[in-house]
Amino acid sequence: MGDFTEVHSGGRRKFIQTSGLALAGLALLPSCSPSGPRRYGLQLYTLREQLSADLEGTLKSVAKIGYKDLEIFGYADGKVFGVNPSELRKIVEDLGMKLVSGHYLTGNFNAPWQGTLSNGWEKAVEDANVMGLKYMVNAFLFPEERQSIDDYKKLTDLLNVSAKVAKNAGIQFGYHNHDFEFLELEGQLPMYVIMDGTDDDLVVAELDLYWATRAGYSPIHFFKKYPKRTALWHVKDMIDSDDKEFTEVGNGVIDFKAIFEKSMLSGMKYFFVEQDVCQRPPVESIGISYKNLMKWGI
């Protein structure tokens, strides 16, 4: 497994530039409504190379597996995956899927394009509405943005301001973690600084279950500390090894049954399967994750 900074920063910039029975409470979730088929989400970053080579063909493969809700990344200068927002929405909806959420950067470092929290945010929100997004999420902080607790405190101001713009357009704002937010810095956990420094109504968490677990932090503890405030999850699994590599959901050691049992406490509305690095073809990997979720009755 490569360094996660390279995976999540260099990979995104490069792309832009070129078990059990049904778990308690799941029937009440919007993404698993009893009035319709189960809706599993996918963060499309897993398929970044495939999308770059063949957008429509890759999305057809995703739809064929059964995924219904998609989370995008890579919005820049008014386009996503090289097409305009209305075109992407049509492609996705014609395949029976929906665009639900999107990942965005702060724009403070290494993001010299329009469509970040600090650069062209209003247009990004406008285009998010065109795509039908319900959530806009701050996806990642570059190392230069997170050198001190004071950096995180300053970040909360930007998050609150950005969230207000999104809320005025009917979109919920969120923050997505990696492992560093759950590693102590100057005697504090950065994720707590972010959650405590942002308005409960404006900013929700998109908890990445892999990255929190990798840092030695319990997702369930987070739900208890911030009940009903984790509207989105990233569902990905981890191999029990020194390198803690990514693997398909169900092929690793994360106890998803226990975590999903706390979905109501979390306030989870949608979850997205993601696998940052795959040892087999990514489409095959997301298919395995989907089948394991189905097998568990999630």
Side-chain angles (χ1 to χ4, degrees), residues 224-239:
K224 291 177 179 178
K225 184 171 178 61
Y226 299 102
K228 304 295 184 181
R229 204 174 165 195
T230 308
L232 308 174
W233 297 358
H234 270 193
V235 178
K236 65 179 76 165
D237 215 339
M238 181 175 69
I239 293 175

Side-chain angles (χ1 to χ4, degrees), residues 134-153:
K134 297 181 179 182
Y135 295 87
M136 300 178 77
V137 181
N138 185 191
F140 175 75
L141 300 178
F142 291 99
E144 299 93 332
E145 300 179 82
R146 47 184 166 88
Q147 295 296 304
S148 67
I149 286 296
D150 190 52
D151 287 340
Y152 283 99
K153 290 180 178 178

Side-chain angles (χ1 to χ4, degrees), residues 72 74-80 85 102-105 113-133 135-137 162 165-166 169 171 173:
I72 64 163
Y75 173 85
D77 300 327
K79 292 190 175 183
V80 185
H103 272 196
Y104 301 83
L105 298 175
W113 57 81
Q114 293 281 316
T116 62
L117 275 61
S118 59
N119 187 1
W121 183 239
E122 291 77 8
K123 179 62 163 57
V125 172
E126 178 183 326
D127 283 343
N129 257 328
V130 171
M131 288 185 280
L133 300 190
Y135 295 87
M136 300 178 77
V137 181
S162 302
V165 176
I171 298 173
F173 187 82

Side-chain angles (χ1 to χ4, degrees), residues 218-291:
S218 165
I220 294 174
H221 181 75
F222 187 80
F223 303 155
K224 291 177 179 178
K225 184 171 178 61
Y226 299 102
K228 304 295 184 181
R229 204 174 165 195
T230 308
L232 308 174
W233 297 358
H234 270 193
V235 178
K236 65 179 76 165
D237 215 339
M238 181 175 69
I239 293 175
D240 183 14
S241 67
D242 291 341
D243 290 334
K244 301 178 181 178
E245 297 98 330
F246 303 99
T247 191
E248 294 78 15
V249 175
N251 286 356
V253 297
I254 295 179
D255 188 353
F256 292 107
K257 181 178 185 296
I259 295 171
F260 269 93
E261 285 174 347
K262 300 299 182 181
S263 58
M264 292 186 70
L265 173 64
S266 159
M268 187 262 278
K269 299 293 189 285
Y270 295 91
F271 66 86
F272 303 99
V273 169
E274 184 184 30
Q275 189 171 336
D276 306 43
V277 177
C278 303
Q279 300 305 317
R280 47 173 59 92
V283 172
E284 182 181 344
S285 287
I286 65 171
I288 292 170
S289 293
Y290 185 94
K291 288 178 182 177

Side-chain angles (χ1 to χ4, degrees), residues 6 12 92 124 136 189 229 282 289 293:
E6 179 182 351
R12 291 180 191 270
V92 167
M136 300 178 77
L189 281 189
R229 204 174 165 195
S289 293
L293 288 168

